[in-house]
Amino acid sequence: MKNIGFLGAGNMGYAIMKGISQSELKDVKLFAYDLSEESLKRAESVGATVCSSENELVEKSDFVFLAVKPQVLSPVLEKIKSSLTPDKVVISIAAGITGEYLKKRTNENLKAILVMPNTPLLLGEGATALSKVSPTTDDEFSLVCDIFNACGKTAVLSEDKMKEIIAVNGSSPAFIYLFAKGFIDYAQSEGIDPLVAKELFAQTLIGSAKMITDSGNTIEELIKMVSSPGGTTLAGLDRLYEGDLTGVVKNACESCTKRAYELSE
């Protein structure tokens, strides 16, 4: 039996717990601690046992998820460091936090795994990047990978790329939602039911994602497939090129990464 605890049962913590509870992972018991009663009730709804303090949760857990905001992580680590015995593994989902950051605030021999998940985990469609920090064992890392594979797709990265990947899978859902809002707002301004526009655009996103992953074509080839010479798509693409859409995206990603480095200081 592996005991898995969640310090923080907000949206992301709940999403991971829900994924575990609905997966085929066996011999797993969940624990949760949060300052929010509402969050704890939600954790209980997926089978988690509520703990009365941070240290109680750590003491009962083999694997401890740090599912709190980066800004409050340091005082949380100060509270629990005496309970982090050498057999325990800490999993941080906090943006920008490094293994060095965790070890400096607890102990140098801490077993840790860095994880950058995203909110589609709530629907079992997450995209999660993971990195193992020494002295975590391969078996311990494999179990955590299995947890996230049960909630979507995973990729293993080196620790020195865990800040840069945030923009690609962690923050990008918000960027995509903003992009979607532009299309839905346009449809509404033209007298089209926004619910109809939302359904059509959402399905277009799903289909386009499938084309990226399953068609065998490059991104450039996929763009050409939609762009008839002298047609409507090219007319719209010309405006996106004029506005340097890819450059704007790059700037957004670089801002994410810059903030991640700030949070790790």
Side-chain angles (χ1 to χ4, degrees):
M1 176 69 70
K2 292 296 183 185
N3 293 338
I4 302 176
F6 287 80
L7 275 178
N11 286 338
M12 196 59 71
Y14 169 72
I16 301 167
M17 284 186 272
K18 183 180 178 183
I20 295 171
S21 69
Q22 295 179 345
S23 74
E24 296 180 359
L25 292 171
K26 304 206 183 303
D27 297 324
V28 168
K29 187 171 183 181
L30 301 176
F31 295 87
Y33 174 79
D34 198 288
L35 296 176
S36 165
E37 288 294 328
E38 183 179 345
S39 293
L40 290 177
K41 286 179 183 177
R42 201 166 54 158
E44 285 182 307
S45 74
V46 293
T49 298
V50 169
C51 295
S52 60
S53 70
E54 295 95 329
N55 281 294
E56 181 191 352
L57 180 133
V58 173
E59 288 161 8
K60 288 184 174 179
S61 302
D62 304 304
F63 292 80
V64 179
F65 275 83
L66 301 174
V68 298
K69 295 187 186 334
Q71 297 91 329
V72 300
L73 186 54
S74 186
V76 168
L77 290 172
E78 180 64 31
K79 280 186 179 180
I80 65 173
K81 66 180 182 180
S82 62
S83 300
L84 288 172
T85 50
D87 56 315
K88 299 185 185 297
V89 181
V90 165
I91 302 106
S92 172
I93 67 170
I97 298 306
T98 63
E100 180 184 5
Y101 179 103
L102 297 172
K103 288 172 181 281
K104 183 187 272 189
R105 287 158 178 78
T106 54
N107 67 78
E108 285 301 316
N109 296 316
L110 180 75
K111 294 179 179 179
I113 296 170
L114 308 180
V115 177
M116 178 43 56
N118 62 18
T119 51
L121 283 169
L122 283 164
L123 302 179
E125 295 290 348
T128 303
L130 304 98
S131 183
K132 182 178 72 168
V133 178
S134 180
T136 307
T137 68
D138 288 343
D139 286 344
E140 290 163 341
F141 186 60
S142 179
L143 175 62
V144 175
C145 288
D146 287 345
I147 288 172
F148 287 96
N149 280 324
C151 314
K153 295 186 181 297
T154 62
V156 177
L157 270 66
S158 60
E159 186 180 349
D160 65 344
K161 296 301 177 189
M162 287 299 288
K163 296 185 188 70
E164 285 74 10
I165 202 62
I166 293 169
V168 177
N169 75 304
S171 299
S172 59
F175 307 156
I176 292 167
Y177 303 147
L178 181 59
F179 191 58
K181 184 178 184 300
F183 286 93
I184 295 165
D185 286 351
Y186 164 76
Q188 188 171 11
S189 74
E190 293 297 323
I192 299 170
D193 185 339
L195 293 178
V196 170
K198 182 176 76 171
E199 290 298 318
L200 288 173
F201 188 75
Q203 183 57 44
T204 299
L205 284 176
I206 293 167
S208 299
K210 285 280 188 185
M211 291 292 285
I212 291 172
T213 58
D214 298 355
S215 71
N217 297 110
T218 66
I219 299 292
E220 290 76 12
E221 289 168 341
L222 291 171
I223 292 171
K224 286 181 180 179
M225 287 169 62
V226 192
S227 309
S228 302
T232 58
T233 302
L234 271 179
L237 278 172
D238 284 343
R239 297 307 301 270
L240 293 176
Y241 291 135
E242 285 174 19
D244 192 20
L245 178 62
T246 55
V248 171
V249 171
K250 183 181 179 184
N251 287 339
C253 292
E254 289 175 343
S255 292
C256 274
T257 302
K258 180 175 181 288
R259 181 58 179 152
Y261 275 92
E262 291 170 352
L263 289 169
S264 68
E265 293 175 355

